[in-house]
Amino acid sequence: MSTPSSTQPRITSVAEVKAALGDQLVDSFFKDDLWLRVRTDAWKSSMRTLRDSLGFHYFCFLSAIDWMPSPYGRGEDDPTEPTPERDTTIRQGYAGGTTRLQVFARVGNPITHVGVTVKVDVPDDSPRIESIHDVYAGANWHEREAHEMFGIVFDGHPDPRNIYLPGDFEGHPLRKDFPLLARMVKPWPGIVDVEPLPGGDETAAGEEQ
Amino acid sequence: MSITENALGDRQRLAYIASQAADSRLNVELETEGMTLNIGPQHPATHGTLRIIARLDGEQVVWAEPSCGYMHRGYEKLAEVRTYPQVTTLINRIDWLGSFANEVPFVLAAEKLMEIEAPVRAQYIRTILFELSRIANVSLFLGDLGVQLGAITPVFFAFRDREYVLNLIESATGGRFHPNFDRIGGLKDDLPAGWVDEARAVMKKLRGFCDQIEDLLFGNEIFQSRTRGIGVVPRDVALQYGLSGANLRASGVDWDLRRDHALPMAWNKVAWKVWTHPDGDSFARCWIRLQETRESTKIVDQLLDSIPAGPVMAKVPKIIKVPEGEAWVSTENPLGEMGYYVVSRGDLGPFRVKIRSASFNNISITPWLLRGVYVPDIVTILASLYFILGDIDR
């Protein structure tokens, strides 16, 4: 009776999506779900292709990822000690990438109930990308959020004001190099509370410590 | 005497001027000045603090925009410095009326990345608690709806009957509002003894509550004239803005993630109906929610009958490390589609969590929807879209 989700692919024809996007597509990845990466200059046109030719009329969300690991780690350092060296090499996720910031959006097909995640690279030197608010009207607010949280400029956006943060807020909070100040001023109490778990199996707990 | 005569003369003269002015305005449209109306941030009709700025021309709205951010708590940033089990404590507070339902998609996403699945009994109990969250959440909506239209009685019924459901959730999980009961790989505990019988009795009461609300509110002539044909969202616009849940189905889109997405949950093991409505108006959105509450009680009843025996927790390591990868899991929450896009780097905590909450999209349609409506309809439309501020601001 129970069918694991991994055995039921949500996309029926990956080849169809690839054929429709043509050379706008840079890379794709399939694992239970479909990830696409499109060319930066073809971002808006490929979203329009997805909507008009492939029936992805439902707009789910749009956001961004900063692929640089945080220079502050998980904010668990002792503030009196010197900051340890951390690996901050940029490594992108599914469907690859070449830049630190990526915008990604998810759209769905209301007839076949399948969805697809579309990623696009945002240039490092000037984080600008076309706005897709006139393809998917719902992207308007999501782009405003991505603009204030990641500092990505959406060209052609009609109203790029802040949506959550105060108008004079400095910095882009969801970028990894924006420190979480609550963890900077006071050591995280969670780390001192760690004690061995009673009756735990040795293998699992032993790996970590 | 002369003073009286003078006063009379003045009064007559003024009456004459007024009548001339009235004549000149006959068959002429009244001149009105534009004004800006602030609704909120504190308003009894909103679940939280939302401010609506509306520019009016007479009684009509020409431009309106919600101003959110009063409750932004930055869960996406906080999740990056928490371990996976700690994140469920945060996301409990997103939609605070149906907390358990917030935990499920995140836990499912983590399980998907770890390639494990909860035992069947845990899947059943998860589904039952998920539907109980929906009933608790939507029953308050049905009561609140009356208050926003000037009917006081339904809200008392709603608070009374929601309490039965909250007691049920509390006796199973230990928390009335924020259960934090879901674990990666299963559930914290099994159900207490006698809980199943108690739940059956409560479901019967809740069906009675639905009938009561339908009689009190949905058959009411004033309610119908205030909601029918008001705030119409056509199918295409609803999809473009990413409306989900009851709002989408009220616009005639037959899409319910419980039925249409293959998730390791128990919805596909019982018989129930997905309701849609062709109208897309405020009435349709409210009506769909009423029907869904009824369906939820049926789902819970059937699941209680067929709940299998067995463990409620899969074998997972004590310290949870999630392998590298990306996963998107969304479920049909009381407010609509709620999903988590989890990016893992094989660490103790997530690298990035994107929280897709239903209310954010549901409320982003308001600048489009409120143009041209009359002032009293603003509250009706907002009430029927049904948002919770914690779910908008995250």
Side-chain angles (χ1 to χ4, degrees):
Chain A
M1 282 286 274
S2 167
T3 45
S5 51
S6 52
T7 59
Q8 292 191 354
R10 289 188 190 172
I11 295 281
T12 43
S13 167
V14 183
E16 195 188 351
V17 178
K18 285 182 180 169
L21 285 172
D23 70 336
Q24 299 176 100
L25 190 69
V26 181
D27 206 347
S28 68
F29 183 84
F30 184 84
K31 189 188 175 188
D32 308 338
D33 206 353
L34 182 62
W35 280 264
L36 304 171
R37 186 158 66 88
V38 297
R39 282 202 340 257
T40 309
D41 55 337
W43 166 237
K44 192 167 165 180
S45 62
S46 53
M47 290 311 271
R48 187 165 277 144
T49 311
L50 284 172
R51 188 192 71 178
D52 295 341
S53 312
L54 295 162
F56 288 99
H57 288 282
Y58 173 73
F59 174 78
C60 188
F61 71 83
L62 179 144
S63 190
I65 310 184
D66 182 355
W67 287 110
M68 187 185 80
S70 171
Y72 309 101
R74 294 163 47 72
E76 291 176 349
D77 303 331
D78 188 342
T80 56
E81 299 285 313
T83 318
E85 281 293 307
R86 285 205 178 79
D87 180 25
T88 51
T89 41
I90 296 167
R91 189 155 44 95
Q92 285 84 1
Y94 290 170
T98 53
T99 53
R100 179 185 155 188
L101 288 171
Q102 271 188 332
V103 164
F104 69 116
R106 192 174 172 86
V107 289
N109 186 324
I111 309 292
T112 58
H113 309 302
V114 297
V116 59
T117 308
V118 192
K119 289 183 177 178
V120 63
D121 291 349
V122 180
D124 282 328
D125 45 346
S126 71
R128 297 183 87 87
I129 197 166
E130 285 170 292
S131 166
I132 57 161
H133 78 277
D134 44 2
V135 183
Y136 292 100
N140 188 322
W141 280 28
H142 290 258
E143 284 176 357
R144 279 171 71 182
E145 193 191 351
H147 170 66
E148 64 181 346
M149 293 296 175
F150 289 94
I152 295 167
V153 178
F154 289 89
D155 284 326
H157 194 282
D159 182 22
R161 283 176 301 141
N162 282 1
I163 195 162
Y164 288 138
L165 302 170
D168 53 355
F169 192 90
E170 282 177 28
H172 305 293
L174 277 179
R175 284 198 181 190
K176 291 281 184 182
D177 50 9
F178 188 92
L180 187 63
L181 281 174
R183 288 281 174 97
M184 297 285 130
V185 294
K186 202 177 154 205
W188 171 236
I191 40 173
V192 291
D193 291 340
V194 176
E195 44 189 73
L197 292 151
D201 49 333
E202 301 300 319
T203 51
E207 277 174 9
E208 292 298 325
Q209 298 307 319
Chain B
M1 274 302 167
S2 62
I3 298 166
T4 324
E5 270 172 26
N6 268 346
L8 197 68
D10 280 351
R11 225 179 289 154
Q12 277 170 335
R13 199 161 57 244
L14 281 173
Y16 176 73
I17 293 165
S19 70
Q20 288 289 303
D23 281 351
S24 73
R25 289 195 171 206
L26 203 65
N27 299 324
V28 173
E29 204 168 307
L30 286 177
E31 278 175 42
T32 47
E33 262 179 49
M35 72 176 258
T36 306
L37 180 69
N38 264 303
I39 304 171
Q42 301 293 335
H43 189 265
T46 59
H47 300 271
T49 43
L50 177 80
R51 174 170 161 230
I52 308 266
I53 308 145
R55 275 192 211 136
L56 308 178
D57 178 23
E59 280 279 291
Q60 271 184 315
V61 177
V62 286
W63 176 92
E65 200 198 47
S67 157
C68 29
Y70 288 89
M71 295 196 65
H72 189 243
R73 295 151 291 178
Y75 285 158
E76 289 179 17
K77 185 80 177 172
L78 288 174
E80 287 169 10
V81 295
R82 297 286 200 280
T83 64
Y84 283 92
Q86 285 171 342
V87 172
T88 52
T89 321
L90 293 175
I91 59 182
N92 249 295
R93 273 94 180 149
I94 293 176
D95 159 19
W96 50 67
L97 293 181
S99 293
F100 185 82
N102 294 333
E103 302 169 16
V104 173
F106 180 79
V107 170
L108 289 179
E111 286 177 0
K112 193 175 182 180
L113 284 168
M114 292 172 76
E115 293 177 349
I116 57 167
E117 236 173 64
V120 185
R121 185 177 173 84
Q123 293 178 13
Y124 270 70
I125 298 172
R126 266 184 194 172
T127 316
I128 291 170
L129 289 171
F130 196 104
E131 290 304 317
L132 288 180
S133 310
R134 182 189 314 280
I135 296 167
N137 184 320
V138 181
S139 61
L140 194 60
F141 160 80
L142 292 169
D144 237 21
L145 192 60
V147 175
Q148 302 182 24
L149 290 161
I152 293 296
T153 318
V155 77
F156 296 115
F157 289 124
F159 270 103
R160 182 196 64 194
D161 289 330
R162 187 181 73 132
E163 209 60 28
Y164 297 125
V165 185
L166 290 183
N167 287 343
L168 216 50
I169 294 174
E170 188 186 6
S171 61
T173 67
R176 249 164 62 88
F177 270 160
H178 300 303
N180 200 14
F181 194 58
D182 233 337
R183 297 288 185 270
I184 292 167
L187 292 163
K188 181 176 168 289
D189 260 321
D190 209 333
L191 295 173
W195 192 87
V196 171
D197 295 328
E198 204 186 315
R200 276 204 195 91
V202 171
M203 288 305 107
K204 210 174 158 196
K205 275 182 196 154
L206 262 294
R207 273 193 290 276
F209 163 75
C210 289
D211 296 340
Q212 217 166 20
I213 287 285
E214 186 157 32
D215 290 346
L216 269 172
L217 213 56
F218 285 77
N220 186 313
E221 206 174 313
I222 301 169
F223 176 77
Q224 293 218 2
S225 62
R226 287 287 304 276
T227 53
R228 281 216 190 253
I230 306 284
V232 179
V233 184
R235 180 183 185 278
D236 288 349
V237 179
L239 288 167
Q240 285 259 309
Y241 275 96
L243 257 59
S244 52
N247 294 336
L248 189 63
R249 287 188 287 279
S251 296
V253 181
D254 189 15
W255 191 356
D256 193 314
L257 305 178
R258 290 175 286 175
R259 182 197 60 190
D260 300 322
H261 282 189
L263 292 166
M265 297 282 276
W267 288 302
N268 55 354
K269 310 217 172 48
V270 292
W272 54 284
K273 183 175 159 60
V274 176
W275 291 89
T276 58
H277 201 292
D279 286 357
D281 56 6
S282 296
F283 182 83
R285 291 190 280 273
C286 303
W287 184 85
I288 293 276
R289 289 208 175 83
L290 175 73
Q291 301 304 330
E292 281 187 357
T293 315
R294 285 205 176 112
E295 290 299 323
S296 288
T297 63
K298 287 181 201 161
I299 293 172
V300 173
D301 265 350
Q302 293 177 60
L303 288 174
L304 289 172
D305 290 337
S306 58
I307 185 166
V312 291
M313 192 70 189
K315 269 199 114 50
V316 287
K318 289 275 181 206
I319 292 171
I320 289 173
K321 258 192 178 181
V322 174
E324 194 163 339
E326 294 174 34
W328 160 257
V329 174
S330 64
T331 51
E332 188 73 34
N333 276 41
L335 294 158
E337 178 178 15
M338 170 148 210
Y340 296 87
Y341 191 93
V342 181
V343 181
S344 175
R345 278 282 174 88
D347 216 338
L348 291 176
F351 183 76
R352 164 107 172 91
V353 181
K354 162 67 191 167
I355 304 169
R356 191 269 190 214
S357 58
S359 295
F360 185 68
N361 279 45
N362 287 352
I363 208 72
S364 75
I365 200 175
T366 45
W368 181 86
L369 190 57
L370 290 180
R371 287 173 318 160
V373 305
Y374 288 93
V375 173
D377 293 336
I378 297 175
V379 171
T380 327
I381 289 169
L382 287 178
S384 73
L385 280 174
Y386 191 33
F387 54 89
I388 286 177
L389 262 292
D391 202 41
I392 299 175
D393 289 353
R394 304 188 297 273

